[in-house]
Amino acid sequence: MAMRAVRVSRWAGAAVLTACVALTVAAPAATASATHENAEPVGVQAKAAAIAVASTGHVLWSRDLNTELPMASITKVMTALVVIRAGGLSRKITVPSAVVAYVDEHDASAAGLRPGDTLTASQLLEGLLMPSGADAAYTLAEAYGPGLGAFIAKMNATAKRLGLTRTHFSNFDGLPYPTGYSTYSTPANLIKLGRVAMASAVFRSIVDQRSYRIAAGSGHHAYFWRNLNPLLGVYRGAIGIKPGWTPTAGHCLLFEATRGGRSFIGVNLDSPGVGATVNGADATRMLNWAFSLPSY
């Protein structure tokens, strides 16, 4: 059977709570790079951004660290985290017919899910995170709420438990409704969220993949999804985690890379770019700067 084409629209690229993960994002130390020839990454154009040591959350550089901005499909990191924490990833979930109208109404990025297909929650997580499927987000939220409103409440409750005091979710996919600013976060909060998500082996294994294939089987069609993260396979050491875009949010990217035993996690919000395909320019500048530091 032919592979189902993945829809990537103009909104595209729009877990366990582990005790060992420190959730505090430290303020950048004034002397962090004072002896380095470049005291900050050059050329970063994002409205707000930050880069930190992945293992500790220590922020090395930031711009508007606590400024609340929309983050588009980075929202789906929380969607995935709520599902992973709930467990039962082998449970079978039938794609509801409502996903078609939902995707069409919002011109949303989609994994091309066929209503009536039955997939596991684990497979739907792949469709959520790799092609940034709003249809996968809808299907998971409906099943795990149960119901969309209940699921969004769980997202906000999880944010509160994580100490994400400047984060709010009005939906499960980061689409710009009721307004473009209804779902928002900050660089500081998103680094916290990203560190928790990347502590999950399930989450980490998904966002580190370039592509994922499901063969046609009893109860479902075949699917093939590519990861929309612009750094994977391009930036040496990139291991995830999630891009996002809407006209309001601009180009957004939560990212992590590791080289030679050093790992950095960062985020850029409202970076400039043409079209809906998120670029990795600001992330590359921040990572290059971080890896050039002699002491981290």
Side-chain angles (χ1 to χ4, degrees):
M1 184 173 293
M3 298 300 174
R4 175 66 170 167
V6 176
R7 173 177 178 175
V8 180
S9 80
R10 61 192 181 96
W11 305 124
V16 181
L17 289 178
T18 310
C20 64
V21 178
L23 297 181
T24 301
V25 176
T31 59
S33 56
T35 60
H36 191 255
E37 60 180 359
N38 292 320
E40 61 181 32
V42 176
V44 176
Q45 300 180 65
K47 185 172 182 179
I51 189 162
V53 178
S55 61
T56 64
H58 174 70
V59 174
L60 301 174
W61 174 84
S62 69
R63 172 183 295 155
D64 288 336
L65 185 65
N66 295 304
T67 297
E68 297 170 359
L69 290 171
M71 68 285 202
S73 284
I74 294 176
T75 297
K76 294 176 179 124
V77 174
M78 179 61 86
T79 305
L81 186 60
V82 170
V83 170
I84 291 168
R85 288 189 64 222
L89 301 186
S90 62
R91 67 181 286 192
K92 295 183 177 181
I93 301 171
T94 299
V95 178
S97 59
V99 299
V100 175
Y102 181 80
V103 166
D104 288 345
E105 178 186 357
H106 298 287
D107 192 16
S109 59
L113 298 180
R114 302 281 192 95
D117 274 10
T118 298
L119 299 169
T120 66
S122 181
Q123 290 170 327
L124 288 167
L125 284 171
E126 302 275 358
L128 170 76
L129 293 170
M130 296 191 68
S132 200
D135 47 0
Y138 187 107
T139 302
L140 286 166
E142 185 66 49
Y144 274 85
L148 304 181
F151 188 86
I152 295 166
K154 289 179 178 179
M155 294 173 72
N156 284 307
T158 302
K160 184 176 181 179
R161 284 194 294 272
L162 289 176
L164 308 183
T165 59
R166 293 178 177 269
T167 297
H168 178 74
F169 300 101
S170 63
N171 55 51
F172 40 80
D173 48 24
L175 288 169
Y177 71 87
T179 76
Y181 295 91
S182 297
T183 293
Y184 57 83
S185 189
T186 69
N189 279 191
L190 289 174
I191 285 177
K192 285 185 182 181
L193 176 61
R195 292 181 64 233
V196 172
M198 291 296 277
S200 161
V202 172
F203 182 94
R204 194 180 185 96
S205 68
I206 294 172
V207 298
D208 192 31
Q209 297 175 108
R210 300 280 299 281
S211 63
Y212 183 80
R213 185 186 303 272
I214 301 175
S218 177
H220 61 78
H221 292 79
Y223 294 97
F224 179 75
W225 298 315
R226 293 190 185 278
N227 198 322
L228 298 181
N229 188 323
L231 298 185
L232 287 182
V234 176
Y235 188 87
R236 184 168 61 88
I239 56 174
I241 65 175
K242 188 72 185 71
W245 180 87
T246 69
T248 305
H251 285 221
C252 303
L253 184 60
L254 182 58
F255 56 89
E256 186 170 339
T258 183
R259 293 180 186 174
R262 298 194 298 163
S263 297
F264 299 102
I265 187 169
V267 63
N268 52 270
L269 299 177
D270 199 2
S271 290
V274 178
T277 302
V278 174
N279 70 72
D282 277 342
T284 296
R285 294 180 182 109
M286 287 188 277
L287 284 168
N288 285 343
W289 173 80
F291 281 117
S292 75
L293 296 175
S295 56
Y296 292 97

